[in-house]
Amino acid sequence: MPQNINQPSNQIRLTNVSLVRLKKGKKRFEIACYKNKVLEYRSGVETDLDNVLQIPSVFLSVSKGQTAPSQDLARAFGPKTALNDIIMEILNKGEMQVGEKERHAQLERVHNEVIDIVAGKLVDPKSKRVYTTGMIEKALDQLSSHGGAAHKADEGKASGTATPTNVEASKDKAKEMPIWTGVVTTKSAKSQALEAMKALIAWQPIPVSRARMRLRVTCATNILKQAAKGSVKKEVEEEDANGEGEKSTGTIKDRILSYVEQVESQDTVGHEWEVIGFVEPGAFKGLGEFMNGETKGRGRVEVLEMAVTHEGE
């Protein structure tokens, strides 16, 4: 007959797990989770803890199957803290440990998502056509491999025109400009895509600009010719600085059109004026704030297309 193997009561063997670790009170605590479920829980996709945890226990070492004594948990988290609250704290604040294959797959997923977002938001400034994901990926690889300041410094050395003053000026400028060092798994794809776009626009490894937004702006006709209050102070200051005596202020209509880079159409229907046009993404927030502050609910901005691009040859 096979002999029974005695296993300590506080040892539980688990395999094929993702670990989440949290150091607190000079002790390191771990929980055992199903693979891929931790990220889904943290992003809000998964809400049921039973689908996240392999076992509702806190460990000192999952690999050794050693559960955490209640005394250690009480000293670290407080004697009145419930086990479920301790698990939630570790799950939300802890560091996730994943295997090499899983880490690589996760990095690849985020990388592809970042490239797709950037490729959909940037265009060639002249043709307004989108770049392929391959061209965007190559441009970002160029930025991450060279680095902005180092790349510019190398160009100065190669040309033989770099001087100490120019080198220092280049370094100062490079510090102010956004740098792209590659995709990481600790940030969302959306935030990293914004960083990538800023770096591409700043360094221009290929000619790029943000794709314009297509908007519809409507406003009551009886306030279009009113002076824009937000523009009075700025324009008066500019005229005083130029030494000009006249003080002309823009109307609400003038200010609205100043945000529009290219007007597609203008029309007046009844008591409402409407303009459809293309706006740089960076100007969208300013236009929205101006409309809210100046029209007092009698004007609105509607997004027709988030990113206007031309595809194909």
Side-chain angles (χ1 to χ4, degrees):
M1 295 180 63
Q3 294 181 343
N4 292 329
I5 300 176
N6 293 324
Q7 179 176 308
S9 60
N10 70 331
Q11 285 195 355
I12 302 173
R13 298 292 184 182
L14 293 171
T15 58
N16 194 32
V17 298
S18 286
L19 306 182
V20 181
R21 295 172 177 167
L22 180 68
K23 188 174 182 181
K24 190 165 184 177
K26 298 182 180 180
K27 292 271 187 182
R28 187 182 68 181
F29 301 97
E30 301 178 349
I31 55 176
C33 304
Y34 290 104
K35 287 191 174 182
N36 303 323
K37 285 296 181 179
V38 177
L39 290 177
E40 290 184 6
Y41 176 81
R42 289 180 173 178
S43 64
V45 175
E46 180 60 71
T47 57
D48 190 348
L49 279 180
D50 291 336
N51 294 331
V52 179
L53 300 173
Q54 288 215 5
I55 186 170
S57 298
V58 179
F59 295 80
L60 292 179
S61 174
V62 171
S63 61
K64 295 178 181 178
Q66 184 180 6
T67 56
S70 57
Q71 298 92 329
D72 290 350
L73 293 175
R75 280 194 294 267
F77 296 92
K80 296 183 180 180
T81 306
L83 178 62
N84 193 60
D85 293 335
I86 294 173
I87 292 174
M88 291 282 288
E89 183 174 345
I90 298 173
L91 186 59
N92 288 318
K93 298 181 180 179
E95 179 184 357
M96 187 170 62
Q97 308 294 313
V98 296
E100 187 62 32
K101 289 184 178 179
E102 187 177 2
R103 186 181 296 108
H104 178 75
Q106 182 184 349
L107 184 63
E108 187 176 0
R109 285 195 299 271
V110 177
H111 174 81
N112 292 337
E113 191 173 349
V114 169
I115 297 298
D116 287 341
I117 294 174
V118 174
K121 299 288 187 182
L122 296 184
V123 295
D124 182 293
K126 293 182 179 179
S127 67
K128 305 301 180 185
R129 296 186 184 278
V130 294
Y131 286 101
T132 64
T133 54
M135 295 181 71
I136 294 295
E137 186 172 17
K138 185 177 179 180
L140 287 174
D141 287 343
Q142 183 180 340
L143 287 182
S144 60
S145 61
H146 290 285
H151 182 57
K152 290 295 181 181
D154 289 343
E155 286 182 352
K157 291 178 182 178
S159 64
T161 58
T163 64
T165 304
N166 291 337
V167 170
E168 290 301 322
S170 297
K171 288 182 179 179
D172 292 339
K173 183 179 179 182
K175 288 180 182 179
E176 299 174 358
M177 295 177 69
I179 301 296
W180 176 252
T181 56
V183 174
V184 296
T185 57
T186 54
K187 296 181 181 179
S188 69
K190 183 177 180 180
S191 65
Q192 293 187 81
L194 290 174
E195 293 174 3
M197 286 188 283
K198 289 179 181 178
L200 286 171
I201 292 172
W203 295 106
Q204 295 287 315
I206 54 176
V208 292
S209 64
R210 284 289 298 269
R212 297 176 302 175
M213 302 175 70
R214 185 167 175 262
L215 307 178
R216 175 189 287 117
V217 183
T218 55
C219 186
T221 55
N222 62 345
I223 64 172
L224 285 177
K225 294 184 179 181
Q226 293 180 7
K229 298 176 183 178
S231 65
V232 172
K233 183 177 180 181
K234 180 180 178 182
E235 293 185 12
V236 168
E237 288 176 350
E238 289 178 351
E239 288 163 2
D240 289 342
N242 294 331
E244 297 177 5
E246 292 184 352
K247 296 181 180 179
S248 61
T249 59
T251 63
I252 289 178
K253 181 178 180 180
D254 292 335
R255 285 296 302 278
I256 291 174
L257 291 176
S258 71
Y259 287 100
V260 182
E261 185 179 274
Q262 180 183 345
V263 175
E264 183 179 297
S265 65
Q266 287 190 68
D267 196 11
T268 301
V269 179
H271 299 289
E272 193 171 69
W273 170 75
E274 173 188 279
V275 60
I276 296 175
F278 302 95
V279 175
E280 289 290 337
F284 175 67
K285 182 180 179 181
L287 174 59
E289 291 176 348
F290 174 79
M291 294 295 290
N292 290 334
E294 295 288 341
T295 65
K296 308 298 183 183
R298 288 176 289 176
R300 62 184 182 274
V301 181
E302 179 185 354
V303 178
L304 301 179
E305 292 182 64
M306 282 296 296
V308 180
T309 60
H310 300 289
E311 298 185 7
E313 297 297 330

